[in-house]
C-alpha cells in the first residue's frame, strides 16, 4: 500500500501556471472513464456535466482483467487543447445539481491543487480528515500524500494532467489501481491534494467492475445531497495543508469507527504497516495518543449515555453507543486542538451533520444496524453531536499542552509501590515484564493474523456462557475476518476444523472477554512456522494456575491439538492474595514462548501476552485488563494502573 510521503505536498515556486481570477475563469475539459458493462447510463452523466463538454473514454480492453489504470492512462491524456484544467470522472458517479457552476467556482479557488470531488466514507485516513474539516466549518479538506488520491472525480491543472498521463504509461496495466499511482505523482511533483466539502458527486449503485466490492458499500464522506451550496461557499479561504495539532502523539493519526469499534489509526510507514490494516489502537487504552484527558472523557461519555431519555434512540446496544460516542468525542476534541481558524461567512452545519451520519452508517457492524430506521439514524446523529460538542469543549479547555504522554484513557496517576501492600519484588517485576512484552507485541507491524478459531468457555466467575456472547463476538470482534468463534466442548477435535492442516491458530478465552483491536496482532507475531499454534488468554491461563494451586480438576484445555475442554472449572475464588502469588508464574509461562525463537518454543499452549477487555467494560468505557476483570481489589487495581502506565510508556518509546 501507499507509504507516507509526508502530510502535505510542498509546491516548488512557479510550479503551476496562474488561473482563476487573475487569468479569467478556468476552462475545464472533462473525460469520463467508461466500461461498456455500465450500459447507457453514461449518457445521463455526460448530460449532467453541461455546459461542460464531457468526452467518453472507453476501456481499450473491456474483455480483459479489471484495470482502472488501463483506462486512466487515456482519460488523463484527453486534455482539451484550450483547457486550463482537466477533470476525470468514473462512469458510476452521480453529480450534484448545477455541477458545472459548482466545479468552476471550486477550481477557481484551488487552481493549483489536485482537487478531489469525493472521498469514500470509510477510507483509512482521508475520510477522517474530511470529517475534521466539515466539523471545523471549512470548505476545503487538505488530504496530504499518505493515502491514495480519490480518483472517482479528480481535477488537475492541464499541464499536470498531461504529465500524469505520461507518468502512468510507465506502469503495466496489471498494476490496476490508478489511485495509488496518482498520489505518488502528486507527491513527486509537489501538488497538494484537497477535497471539496461537501463533495460534488456521489458513488453510484451497482457492483464494482474494478474488483472493489470487498470494500463494502461506497458512499461520500460528506454528501451534498439536495443542499448544493451557493457558489460563494467556494470563495471562502482555508488552509492549503492540514493545520498543526497540539498536545498529541508526534505522528499523523486518524480516529476510526469500524465494526462498531472506535480506535486510533497511527501512520507508521517505517514499520511497513499496510494502510488498510484493521488493527487500530483501542481508544479506551490509547486515547492518550490524541492528548485526551482520561477522567474528562469518561465523565463526558457517561453524561451522553445518561442524557438518553425514554424516547431517545436505543436500537444500538450499549457497547455500540459507547463506541459511537467515543468516536464523536475524539473528533470534536481533535478539531478544537487543531489550528483551523474560522473561515468567513456562514458555516454549513449540515456538512458537519452529514459527516457524522456517514460515519455512523459506515462504521457500525451490520449486527448493530438491524432495525435502524431513518428516524432512528437521525436521533443517533443527534446524540452523537452531543458527544462531539463535549469533546470540543474538553479540547478548548485543556490548553496547548495536552496529555498525549500521560498514559492510557481512564488512568489516574499510578500508585507507587509503597502505597500498596505488595512486598514481593517478583510480583512487581512480573507486572513490568508483562507490560513491556505487550507493548512490544502491539508496536510490531500490523501483519494479517492467520485464520484463527476462538474457543469460548463459560466463565466460572461471572457465569457468562458462549451461547449468550457468541453473536456479539462474531459481529464486533472478528479481527477483519480472521477470527471465527466456537463454543468450547469436550468433544471438539481441533484437527478437524477447516484450515487446521495449514498455518492456523486456536485461542481459548472466556465468554465475558473481548479481544482488543490492536491485541489481535499477537496472533500473527507468535505464529509457528508449521502446524497449529495454540494460545490461551491470560484469564484462562490464570484459571489453570489456580486449579493447580488448589488441586481442582477440570482445568483448561487438552494436551496437544486433539481436543478442548468444554468447561474450565466449576468455581474459583479471585482472592487477590492468590492472584498475586501466581503472577510471577504467569509471567514465566509467557516468557517461555514469547522470549524464545520459533525453533525453541515448546509444544503446547502459549499464553497470549495481551490484555483483554470485558463485556461489561465495553459498556462503561472501561480499559482492558491485563489479567481478568473479575480479579479486583485496591492492590490489583493499583497494579493494573501501573501496568497500563508502563505499557503506554514502553509503546510510546518504541513508536
Amino acid at each position: 500500500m501507499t507509504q507516507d510521503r509526508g502530510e502535505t505536498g510542498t509546491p516548488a515556486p512557479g510550479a503551476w501556471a496562474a488561473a482563476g481570477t487573475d487569468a479569467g475563469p478556468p476552462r475545464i475539459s472533462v473525460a469520463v472513464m467508461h466500461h461498456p458493462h455500465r450500459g447507457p447510463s453514461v449518457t445521463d452523466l455526460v448530460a449532467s456535466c453541461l455546459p461542460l463538454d464531457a468526452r467518453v473514454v472507453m476501456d481499450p480492453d473491456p474483455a480483459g482483467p479489471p484495470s482502472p489504470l488501463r483506462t486512466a492512462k487515456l482519460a488523463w491524456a484527453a486534455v482539451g487543447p484550450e483547457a486550463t484544467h482537466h477533470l476525470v470522472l468514473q462512469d458510476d458517479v452521480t453529480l450534484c445539481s448545477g455541477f458545472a457552476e459548482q466545479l468552476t467556482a471550486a477550481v477557481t479557488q484551488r487552481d493549483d491543487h489536485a482537487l478531489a470531488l469525493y472521498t469514500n466514507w470509510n477510507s483509512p485516513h482521508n475520510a477522517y480528515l474530511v470529517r475534521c474539516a466539515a466539523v471545523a466549518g471549512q470548505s476545503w479538506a487538505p488530504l496530504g500524500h499518505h493515502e491514495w488520491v480519490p480518483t472517482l472525480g479528480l481535477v488537475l491543472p492541464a499541464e499536470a494532467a498531461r504529465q500524469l498521463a505520461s507518468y502512468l504509461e510507465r506502469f503495466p496495466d496489471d498494476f490496476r489501481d490508478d489511485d495509488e499511482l496518482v498520489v505518488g505523482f502528486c507527491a513527486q511533483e509537489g501538488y497538494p491534494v484537497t477535497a471539496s466539502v461537501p463533495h460534488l458527486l456521489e458513488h453510484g449503485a451497482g457492483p464494482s467492475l474494478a474488483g472493489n466490492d470487498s470494500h463494502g458499500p461506497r458512499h461520500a464522506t460528506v454528501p451534498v445531497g439536495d443542499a448544493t451550496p451557493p457558489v460563494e461557499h467556494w470563495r471562502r479561504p482555508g488552509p492549503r495543508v492540514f493545520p498543526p495539532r497540539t498536545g498529541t502523539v508526534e505522528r499523523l493519526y486518524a480516529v476510526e469507527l469500524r465494526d462498531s469499534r472506535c480506535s486510533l489509526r497511527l501512520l507508521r510507514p517505517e514499520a511497513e504497516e499496510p494502510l488498510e490494516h484493521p488493527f487500530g489502537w483501542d481508544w479506551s487504552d490509547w486515547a492518550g495518543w490524541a492528548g485526551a484527558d482520561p477522567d474528562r472523557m469518561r465523565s463526558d461519555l457517561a453524561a451522553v449515555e445518561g442524557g438518553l431519555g425514554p424516547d431517545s434512540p436505543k436500537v444500538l446496544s450499549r457497547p455500540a453507543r459507547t463506541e459511537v460516542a467515543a468516536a464523536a468525542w475524539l473528533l470534536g476534541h481533535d478539531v478544537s486542538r487543531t489550528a483551523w481558524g474560522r473561515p468567513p461567512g456562514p458555516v454549513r452545519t449540515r456538512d458537519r451533520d452529514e459527516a457524522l451520519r456517514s460515519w455512523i452508517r459506515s462504521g457500525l457492524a451490520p449486527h448493530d444496524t438491524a432495525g435502524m430506521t431513518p428516524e432512528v439514524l437521525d436521533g443517533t446523529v443527534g446524540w452523537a453531536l452531543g458527544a462531539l460538542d463535549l469533546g470540543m469543549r474538553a479540547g478548548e479547555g485543556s490548553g496547548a499542552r495536552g496529555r498525549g504522554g500521560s498514559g492510557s484513557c481512564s488512568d489516574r496517576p499510578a500508585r507507587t509501590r509503597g502505597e500498596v501492600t505488595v512486598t514481593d519484588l517478583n510480583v512487581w517485576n512480573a507486572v513490568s515484564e508483562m507490560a513491556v512484552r505487550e507493548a512490544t507485541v502491539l508496536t510490531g507491524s500490523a501483519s494479517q493474523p492467520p485464520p484463527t478459531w476462538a474457543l469460548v468457555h463459560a466463565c466460572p466467575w461471572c457465569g457468562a456462557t458462549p451461547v449468550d456472547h457468541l453473536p456479539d463476538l462474531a459481529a464486533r470482534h472478528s479481527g477483519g475476518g480472521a477470527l471465527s468463534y466456537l463454543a468450547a466442548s469436550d468433544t471438539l477435535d481441533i484437527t478437524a476444523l477447516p484450515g487446521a492442516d495449514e498455518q492456523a491458530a486456536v485461542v481459548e478465552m472466556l465468554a465475558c472477554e473481548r479481544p482488543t483491536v490492536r491485541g489481535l496482532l499477537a496472533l500473527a507475531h507468535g505464529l509457528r512456522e508449521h502446524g497449529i499454534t495454540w494460545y490461551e488468554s491470560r484469564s484462562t491461563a490464570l484459571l489453570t494456575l489456580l486449579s493447580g494451586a488448589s488441586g481442582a480438576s477440570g482445568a483448561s484445555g487438552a494436551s496437544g491439538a486433539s481436543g478442548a475442554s468444554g468447561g474450565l472449572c466449576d468455581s474459583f475464588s479471585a482472592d487477590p492474595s492468590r492472584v498475586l502469588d501466581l503472577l510471577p508464574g504467569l509471567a514465566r509461562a509467557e516468557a517461555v514462548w514469547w522470549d524464545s525463537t520459533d525453533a525453541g518454543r515448546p509444544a503446547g499452549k502459549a499464553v497470549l501476552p495481551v490484555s483483554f477487555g470485558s463485556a461489561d467494560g465495553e459498556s462503561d468505557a472501561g480499559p482492558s485488563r491485563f489479567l481478568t476483570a473479575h480479579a479486583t481489589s485496591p492492590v490489583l487495581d493499583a497494579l493494573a494502573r501501573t501496568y497500563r502506565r508502563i505499557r503506554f510508556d514502553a509503546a510510546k518509546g518504541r513508536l
Side-chain angles (χ1 to χ4, degrees):
M1 287 296 173
T2 301
Q3 298 301 304
D4 190 353
R5 300 177 177 86
E7 187 172 10
T8 63
T10 303
W16 308 301
T21 55
D22 293 338
R27 300 179 298 278
I28 307 170
S29 59
V30 182
V32 179
M33 296 168 51
H34 180 55
H35 193 286
H37 285 174
R38 291 286 182 206
S41 60
V42 71
T43 303
D44 295 334
L45 177 57
V46 169
S48 297
C49 292
L50 292 174
L52 298 176
D53 184 15
R55 173 184 173 184
V56 177
V57 177
M58 297 293 294
D59 185 333
D61 185 15
S67 173
L69 175 59
R70 185 170 56 228
T71 312
K73 293 175 180 178
L74 302 178
W76 285 109
V79 182
E82 302 299 323
T84 61
H85 293 79
H86 187 57
L87 164 66
V88 171
L89 296 169
Q90 296 183 17
D91 62 358
D92 55 347
V93 302
T94 302
L95 308 182
C96 70
S97 61
F99 174 75
E101 182 183 28
Q102 293 285 317
L103 177 67
T104 301
V107 171
T108 298
Q109 296 303 318
R110 287 294 185 271
D111 58 343
D112 55 359
H113 286 215
L115 180 58
L117 309 182
Y118 169 96
T119 60
N120 206 44
W121 63 356
N122 61 356
S123 61
H125 282 266
N126 284 340
Y128 180 70
L129 299 181
V130 170
R131 290 189 173 99
C132 286
V135 170
Q138 303 291 318
S139 301
W140 313 101
L143 301 184
H145 295 140
H146 46 265
E147 184 175 305
W148 60 84
V149 170
T151 54
L152 207 64
L154 182 68
V155 184
L156 280 174
E159 183 56 32
R162 297 186 184 98
Q163 293 172 352
L164 175 59
S166 298
Y167 178 85
L168 297 179
E169 287 292 345
R170 306 176 194 174
F171 300 90
D173 292 344
D174 58 9
F175 190 90
R176 207 177 77 91
D177 294 326
D178 59 326
D179 49 8
E180 292 278 355
L181 298 177
V182 172
V183 73
F185 168 81
C186 290
Q188 175 181 297
E189 301 299 326
Y191 290 103
V193 182
T194 299
S196 62
V197 183
H199 299 336
L200 297 183
L201 54 87
E202 176 61 286
H203 205 295
S208 170
L209 299 180
N212 293 325
D213 285 332
S214 62
H215 296 175
R218 288 153 288 154
H219 294 289
T221 305
V222 185
V224 67
D226 296 328
T228 305
V231 293
E232 291 77 15
H233 176 77
W234 305 114
R235 297 174 188 158
R236 303 162 75 223
R240 293 171 61 87
V241 300
F242 198 86
R245 290 158 160 157
T246 58
T248 66
V249 66
E250 294 180 0
R251 63 173 59 238
L252 301 179
Y253 74 89
V255 179
E256 182 174 54
L257 184 64
R258 177 174 180 163
D259 289 336
S260 299
R261 305 286 298 278
C262 172
S263 62
L264 280 80
R265 177 178 285 275
L266 304 184
L267 274 173
R268 303 178 64 212
E270 75 286 350
E272 298 184 351
E273 284 192 340
L275 190 62
E276 294 179 276
H277 72 79
F279 307 109
W281 298 77
D282 305 72
W283 72 268
S284 58
D285 287 330
W286 303 99
W289 292 146
D293 182 310
D295 293 330
R296 177 69 178 267
M297 187 173 185
R298 179 186 290 275
S299 174
D300 284 350
L301 294 183
V304 171
E305 180 65 28
L308 292 174
D311 298 327
S312 300
K314 292 188 177 178
V315 159
L316 294 180
S317 64
R318 172 71 182 273
R321 293 199 302 270
T322 299
E323 297 295 304
V324 170
W329 192 99
L330 287 169
L331 172 59
H333 185 267
D334 189 3
V335 169
S336 71
R337 295 164 66 83
T338 303
W340 284 103
R342 183 176 178 86
V347 172
R348 281 171 55 93
T349 57
R350 181 189 183 281
D351 294 340
R352 175 204 62 191
D353 297 355
E354 290 301 315
L356 280 179
R357 185 185 309 276
S358 73
W359 209 7
I360 293 168
R361 291 181 61 204
S362 65
L364 289 175
H367 175 76
D368 289 315
T369 57
M372 179 172 278
T373 64
E375 292 75 21
V376 171
L377 177 59
D378 288 343
T380 304
V381 171
W383 63 256
L385 284 169
L388 180 136
D389 181 63
L390 290 173
M392 294 190 76
R393 294 182 189 179
E396 291 166 354
S398 58
R401 291 175 298 171
R403 294 184 56 176
S406 64
S408 65
C409 186
S410 77
D411 280 353
R412 291 184 173 88
R415 297 182 185 181
T416 64
R417 186 171 142 204
E419 294 174 356
V420 294
T421 56
V422 177
T423 59
D424 188 347
L425 184 61
N426 291 329
V427 171
W428 289 97
N429 289 340
V431 169
S432 177
E433 176 186 327
M434 293 167 70
V436 171
R437 185 176 293 114
E438 180 172 6
T440 301
V441 170
L442 298 184
T443 54
S445 179
S447 305
Q448 181 65 30
T452 300
W453 294 95
L455 304 185
V456 182
H457 294 270
C459 177
W461 283 311
C462 69
T465 62
V467 68
D468 292 329
H469 290 266
L470 285 177
D472 180 70
L473 286 167
R476 304 176 62 242
H477 302 269
S478 70
L483 268 70
S484 300
Y485 291 90
L486 290 174
S489 70
D490 293 319
T491 59
L492 181 64
D493 182 1
I494 295 298
T495 62
L497 293 174
D501 57 341
E502 303 172 359
Q503 195 175 39
V506 173
V507 59
E508 293 189 72
M509 56 181 286
L510 303 181
C512 57
E513 290 189 291
R514 294 295 183 267
T516 65
V517 178
R518 191 71 186 181
L520 292 173
L521 288 181
L523 296 171
H525 294 320
L527 193 66
R528 289 182 185 272
E529 292 184 3
H530 304 287
I532 296 175
T533 307
W534 196 315
Y535 303 103
E536 58 183 340
S537 70
R538 285 170 171 171
S539 285
T540 57
L542 181 62
L543 284 169
T544 302
L545 292 173
L546 284 168
S547 70
S550 63
S553 61
S556 69
S559 62
S562 60
S565 172
L568 291 170
C569 47
D570 293 331
S571 64
F572 278 118
S573 167
D575 177 67
S577 63
R578 298 181 68 202
V579 173
L580 288 175
D581 289 342
L582 294 173
L583 265 176
L586 183 61
R588 286 193 298 270
E590 280 188 9
V592 166
W593 178 275
W594 294 93
D595 297 354
S596 303
T597 62
D598 181 73
R601 286 171 174 168
K605 298 176 187 175
V607 180
L608 206 63
V610 293
S611 303
F612 274 63
S614 69
D616 291 338
E618 285 191 329
S619 297
D620 61 15
S624 62
R625 302 287 295 199
F626 83 105
L627 289 175
T628 169
H630 302 302
T632 60
S633 72
V635 172
L636 290 175
D637 290 346
L639 284 176
R641 288 192 293 271
T642 299
Y643 180 99
R644 290 195 293 270
R645 176 180 55 79
I646 294 172
R647 181 185 60 182
F648 188 95
D649 291 343
K652 184 179 180 183
R654 293 177 63 86
L655 290 174

